[in-house]
Amino acid sequence: MLSASQIELVQDSFAAVVPLTNEAAAEFYRRLFELSPDTRVLFRNDMTEQGRKLFLTLATVVDALDRLDTIVPIARELAIRHIDYGAKESHYAAVGSALIETLRVGLGTAFDGDTEEAWSAAYEILSGTMLAAVRERA
């Protein structure tokens, strides 16, 4: 469970990244493909459009962090869709690492230890929910 201060840190830092959406998305995918090269084949679409979808999904999740019950069905559906795309359980750790590194670069000194911890906790909740859905479907 996230504390109110962690939710605020995630929401405030995400708001600071939104103006850099295109650059942040490009950095995220660059890092993801570096960390997990086998994910590259999962993305056949326009990467600018893919980045837009990534940030829309992140915005939905970040906005609802204080209402986790609304995120769970979205996360489960997203996980099941990603199975069909070819996503593997091992990709979730790479996505988390790429996200944290992208935020670190994009936010600079504003991405302090508390903010990183808040994002890590939020991602752990999201990825845990998604992985549970994947395992149930298997």
Side-chain angles (χ1 to χ4, degrees), residues 4-110:
S5 63
Q6 286 178 312
I7 291 169
E8 186 175 339
L9 283 169
V10 170
Q11 290 175 338
D12 289 351
S13 58
F14 184 72
V17 172
V18 168
L20 310 168
T21 295
N22 290 339
E23 296 89 346
E27 178 66 10
F28 169 81
Y29 286 110
R30 185 189 71 73
R31 288 185 180 275
L32 177 61
F33 300 153
E34 182 179 283
L35 291 167
S36 186
D38 64 320
T39 59
R40 182 66 186 101
V41 298
L42 304 178
F43 299 94
R44 297 176 187 92
N45 299 332
D46 173 11
M47 291 310 292
T48 302
E49 177 63 17
Q50 185 64 41
R52 189 185 69 75
K53 288 178 185 178
L54 169 69
F55 268 79
L56 286 173
T57 301
L58 280 173
T60 299
V61 170
V62 166
D63 183 56
L65 284 176
D66 58 346
R67 302 176 313 280
L68 286 177
D69 57 314
T70 64
I71 295 173
V72 169
I74 295 167
R76 293 178 63 79
E77 178 185 314
L78 190 61
I80 290 166
R81 251 196 343 252
H82 279 78
I83 292 170
D84 296 336
Y85 299 151
K88 299 175 186 166
E89 284 192 36
S90 61
H91 295 154
Y92 285 81
V95 167
S97 294
L99 176 63
I100 295 299
E101 288 302 315
T102 298
L103 291 166
R104 185 176 289 120
V105 168
L107 294 169
T109 58

